[in-house]
PDB file of all heavy atoms in Angstrom:
ATOM      1  N   PHE H 219     183.465 -11.891 -25.697  1.00 84.00           N
ATOM      2  CA  PHE H 219     182.648 -12.583 -24.709  1.00 84.00           C
ATOM      3  C   PHE H 219     183.525 -13.519 -23.875  1.00 84.00           C
ATOM      4  O   PHE H 219     184.313 -14.282 -24.421  1.00 84.00           O
ATOM      5  CB  PHE H 219     181.576 -13.375 -25.476  1.00 84.00           C
ATOM      6  CG  PHE H 219     180.671 -14.168 -24.601  1.00 84.00           C
ATOM      7  CD1 PHE H 219     179.691 -13.533 -23.843  1.00 84.00           C
ATOM      8  CD2 PHE H 219     180.766 -15.548 -24.549  1.00 84.00           C
ATOM      9  CE1 PHE H 219     178.833 -14.270 -23.038  1.00 84.00           C
ATOM     10  CE2 PHE H 219     179.911 -16.290 -23.745  1.00 84.00           C
ATOM     11  CZ  PHE H 219     178.943 -15.649 -22.992  1.00 84.00           C
ATOM     12  N   ALA H 250     171.239  -7.723  13.355  1.00 92.00           N
ATOM     13  CA  ALA H 250     170.986  -8.373  14.645  1.00 92.00           C
ATOM     14  C   ALA H 250     171.081  -7.352  15.774  1.00 92.00           C
ATOM     15  O   ALA H 250     170.200  -7.271  16.644  1.00 92.00           O
ATOM     16  CB  ALA H 250     171.981  -9.507  14.862  1.00 92.00           C
ATOM     17  N   LEU H 270     157.454  11.497  29.088  1.00 86.00           N
ATOM     18  CA  LEU H 270     158.511  11.994  28.199  1.00 86.00           C
ATOM     19  C   LEU H 270     158.601  11.198  26.903  1.00 86.00           C
ATOM     20  O   LEU H 270     159.521  11.392  26.122  1.00 86.00           O
ATOM     21  CB  LEU H 270     159.859  11.934  28.912  1.00 86.00           C
ATOM     22  CG  LEU H 270     160.019  12.906  30.084  1.00 86.00           C
ATOM     23  CD1 LEU H 270     161.352  12.699  30.761  1.00 86.00           C
ATOM     24  CD2 LEU H 270     159.886  14.334  29.606  1.00 86.00           C
ATOM     25  N   GLY H 272     157.259  11.181  24.040  1.00 87.00           N
ATOM     26  CA  GLY H 272     157.373  11.924  22.781  1.00 87.00           C
ATOM     27  C   GLY H 272     158.777  12.446  22.578  1.00 87.00           C
ATOM     28  O   GLY H 272     159.392  12.252  21.527  1.00 87.00           O
ATOM     29  N   PHE H 331     179.105  -1.031  14.148  1.00 93.00           N
ATOM     30  CA  PHE H 331     178.548  -0.099  15.133  1.00 93.00           C
ATOM     31  C   PHE H 331     177.972   1.132  14.441  1.00 93.00           C
ATOM     32  O   PHE H 331     176.870   1.590  14.766  1.00 93.00           O
ATOM     33  CB  PHE H 331     179.634   0.308  16.137  1.00 93.00           C
ATOM     34  CG  PHE H 331     179.093   1.065  17.308  1.00 93.00           C
ATOM     35  CD1 PHE H 331     178.608   0.392  18.413  1.00 93.00           C
ATOM     36  CD2 PHE H 331     179.057   2.453  17.291  1.00 93.00           C
ATOM     37  CE1 PHE H 331     178.081   1.092  19.486  1.00 93.00           C
ATOM     38  CE2 PHE H 331     178.526   3.165  18.366  1.00 93.00           C
ATOM     39  CZ  PHE H 331     178.042   2.465  19.468  1.00 93.00           C
ATOM     40  N   ALA H 412     190.560  -5.399   5.328  1.00 86.00           N
ATOM     41  CA  ALA H 412     189.696  -6.009   6.337  1.00 86.00           C
ATOM     42  C   ALA H 412     188.256  -5.518   6.263  1.00 86.00           C
ATOM     43  O   ALA H 412     187.335  -6.240   6.618  1.00 86.00           O
ATOM     44  CB  ALA H 412     190.255  -5.748   7.727  1.00 86.00           C
ATOM     45  N   SER H 417     180.500  -3.011  -2.021  1.00 90.00           N
ATOM     46  CA  SER H 417     180.416  -1.668  -2.605  1.00 90.00           C
ATOM     47  C   SER H 417     181.806  -1.069  -2.796  1.00 90.00           C
ATOM     48  O   SER H 417     182.124  -0.531  -3.856  1.00 90.00           O
ATOM     49  CB  SER H 417     179.603  -0.727  -1.707  1.00 90.00           C
ATOM     50  OG  SER H 417     178.315  -1.225  -1.519  1.00 90.00           O
ATOM     51  N   TYR H 421     183.944  -0.155  -6.219  1.00 91.00           N
ATOM     52  CA  TYR H 421     184.515   1.171  -6.445  1.00 91.00           C
ATOM     53  C   TYR H 421     186.024   1.095  -6.671  1.00 91.00           C
ATOM     54  O   TYR H 421     186.564   1.720  -7.582  1.00 91.00           O
ATOM     55  CB  TYR H 421     184.196   2.075  -5.247  1.00 91.00           C
ATOM     56  CG  TYR H 421     184.865   3.422  -5.320  1.00 91.00           C
ATOM     57  CD1 TYR H 421     184.512   4.339  -6.303  1.00 91.00           C
ATOM     58  CD2 TYR H 421     185.857   3.776  -4.412  1.00 91.00           C
ATOM     59  CE1 TYR H 421     185.127   5.574  -6.388  1.00 91.00           C
ATOM     60  CE2 TYR H 421     186.482   5.011  -4.489  1.00 91.00           C
ATOM     61  CZ  TYR H 421     186.120   5.894  -5.476  1.00 91.00           C
ATOM     62  OH  TYR H 421     186.727   7.112  -5.555  1.00 91.00           O
ATOM     63  N   VAL H 431     186.665  -2.879 -15.407  1.00 86.00           N
ATOM     64  CA  VAL H 431     185.257  -2.515 -15.459  1.00 86.00           C
ATOM     65  C   VAL H 431     184.354  -3.750 -15.422  1.00 86.00           C
ATOM     66  O   VAL H 431     183.349  -3.797 -14.716  1.00 86.00           O
ATOM     67  CB  VAL H 431     184.991  -1.694 -16.729  1.00 86.00           C
ATOM     68  CG1 VAL H 431     183.519  -1.434 -16.897  1.00 86.00           C
ATOM     69  CG2 VAL H 431     185.775  -0.410 -16.661  1.00 86.00           C
ATOM     70  N   ALA H 434     184.127  -5.393 -12.049  1.00 88.00           N
ATOM     71  CA  ALA H 434     183.302  -4.567 -11.174  1.00 88.00           C
ATOM     72  C   ALA H 434     181.827  -4.725 -11.523  1.00 88.00           C
ATOM     73  O   ALA H 434     180.969  -4.792 -10.635  1.00 88.00           O
ATOM     74  CB  ALA H 434     183.727  -3.105 -11.280  1.00 88.00           C
ATOM     75  N   TRP H 458     152.578 -10.490   4.844  1.00 65.00           N
ATOM     76  CA  TRP H 458     152.267 -11.440   5.895  1.00 65.00           C
ATOM     77  C   TRP H 458     151.912 -10.680   7.193  1.00 65.00           C
ATOM     78  O   TRP H 458     150.917 -10.962   7.854  1.00 65.00           O
ATOM     79  CB  TRP H 458     153.525 -12.280   6.028  1.00 65.00           C
ATOM     80  CG  TRP H 458     153.640 -13.262   7.115  1.00 65.00           C
ATOM     81  CD1 TRP H 458     152.675 -14.106   7.554  1.00 65.00           C
ATOM     82  CD2 TRP H 458     154.815 -13.532   7.879  1.00 65.00           C
ATOM     83  NE1 TRP H 458     153.174 -14.896   8.536  1.00 65.00           N
ATOM     84  CE2 TRP H 458     154.482 -14.578   8.761  1.00 65.00           C
ATOM     85  CE3 TRP H 458     156.104 -13.024   7.902  1.00 65.00           C
ATOM     86  CZ2 TRP H 458     155.418 -15.091   9.665  1.00 65.00           C
ATOM     87  CZ3 TRP H 458     157.018 -13.539   8.783  1.00 65.00           C
ATOM     88  CH2 TRP H 458     156.671 -14.563   9.656  1.00 65.00           C
TER      89      TRP H 458
END
Side-chain angles (χ1 to χ4, degrees):
Chain H
F219 179 74
L270 292 177
F331 190 86
S417 301
Y421 174 67
V431 174
W458 173 42

